[in-house]
Amino acid sequence: ENVIEKIRVDKELAEVQLSKVVSTKQLISKELDSKENVARKNENEVKLKHGVVERKMNQLDKVNKKLFKMIEANRSSADGENLGPMESTIKHLKQEIKQTLVVNEELETAWLENQNELVKISTESNKILFRLRQCEHKRTGLTKKKRRLEFSLNEEESRLSTAQLSIYGFHKDKQRLNE
């Protein structure tokens, strides 16, 4: 009886641990989905910013080509035309490109951090799944052991019942003989 009670308690403890692991797994799965969504959003934002940077670079290349042509034309002309506004535009565009590159680097850094966190969460999720499988194996083993013990108990109860019937019959026979 103590063995069966101990097995029942072990089984209940294993089931409680299993339910805790399952609930933890669900929470981590939700968190992982959330982190993946954030990572996808950041990745899309990085791609968008990268496209903006490329467009700005193309614009700058066009402006640089125009400037180079103007400088060449200015060198060939003797009047010495002032290029101040064009140089100002070029300087402004270079500053915008630098700012955009800084923002792009920040977004890439955030994306990498999110990826690292995603890897950590995936690793933890795998550990929890491993523990869950161990608990399930332990529960299966305990369930089998319980069934064997219940079967043995039923056999012993059957033998006891048979012995009691034999004793009862023996007492009846004895009483008849004594009469």
Side-chain angles (χ1 to χ4, degrees):
E1 286 182 23
N2 287 339
V3 172
I4 292 173
E5 186 62 27
K6 184 177 186 238
I7 290 173
R8 187 186 62 75
V9 169
D10 285 345
K11 178 185 172 198
E12 289 175 3
L13 286 174
E15 288 173 349
V16 167
Q17 287 177 345
L18 180 63
S19 68
K20 284 180 183 178
V21 168
V22 168
S23 65
T24 303
K25 179 191 172 235
Q26 290 172 347
L27 287 173
I28 288 175
S29 293
K30 287 179 184 177
E31 188 176 328
L32 180 63
D33 290 342
S34 172
K35 297 292 182 180
E36 285 177 347
N37 288 336
V38 169
R40 271 190 234 108
K41 180 182 174 188
N42 287 341
E43 187 175 5
N44 288 337
E45 211 171 301
V46 166
K47 287 179 183 178
L48 181 68
K49 295 291 182 180
H50 186 69
V52 169
V53 168
E54 284 183 4
R55 285 192 296 276
K56 295 276 184 175
M57 292 293 281
N58 287 337
Q59 289 174 351
L60 182 62
D61 286 344
K62 289 178 184 177
V63 169
N64 280 338
K65 287 178 184 178
K66 285 182 184 178
L67 178 62
F68 183 73
K69 286 180 183 178
M70 289 176 72
I71 290 172
E72 290 300 317
N74 189 27
R75 285 186 185 158
S76 63
S77 68
D79 58 357
E81 190 178 323
N82 187 6
L83 299 177
M86 184 61 80
E87 290 172 348
S88 174
T89 304
I90 291 170
K91 184 177 179 181
H92 177 70
L93 288 174
K94 284 182 179 180
Q95 286 175 348
E96 282 185 12
I97 289 171
K98 284 180 184 178
Q99 290 173 351
T100 306
L101 288 173
V102 168
V103 169
N104 191 24
E105 286 177 12
E106 290 172 357
L107 289 173
E108 285 179 356
T109 302
W111 182 79
L112 287 173
E113 289 172 356
N114 287 336
Q115 289 296 318
N116 286 337
E117 192 170 339
L118 179 65
V119 168
K120 288 177 186 176
I121 289 171
S122 291
T123 303
E124 190 169 326
S125 176
N126 287 338
K127 288 178 183 177
I128 289 172
L129 286 173
F130 177 73
R131 285 187 289 188
L132 175 66
R133 285 188 200 111
Q134 284 180 328
C135 287
E136 288 174 348
H137 289 303
K138 185 176 180 179
R139 185 181 75 178
T140 302
L142 289 173
T143 302
K144 287 179 181 178
K145 188 174 182 179
K146 178 186 172 193
R147 287 181 187 150
R148 286 192 307 268
L149 288 172
E150 286 174 346
F151 180 75
S152 294
L153 178 64
N154 288 339
E155 284 182 350
E156 289 300 319
E157 286 175 347
S158 174
R159 286 183 193 151
L160 179 64
S161 176
T162 303
Q164 286 175 342
L165 285 173
S166 294
I167 290 171
Y168 179 74
F170 177 75
H171 284 300
K172 285 287 189 186
D173 288 342
K174 185 178 169 185
Q175 284 177 353
R176 269 189 263 143
L177 286 175
N178 285 338
E179 293 176 356

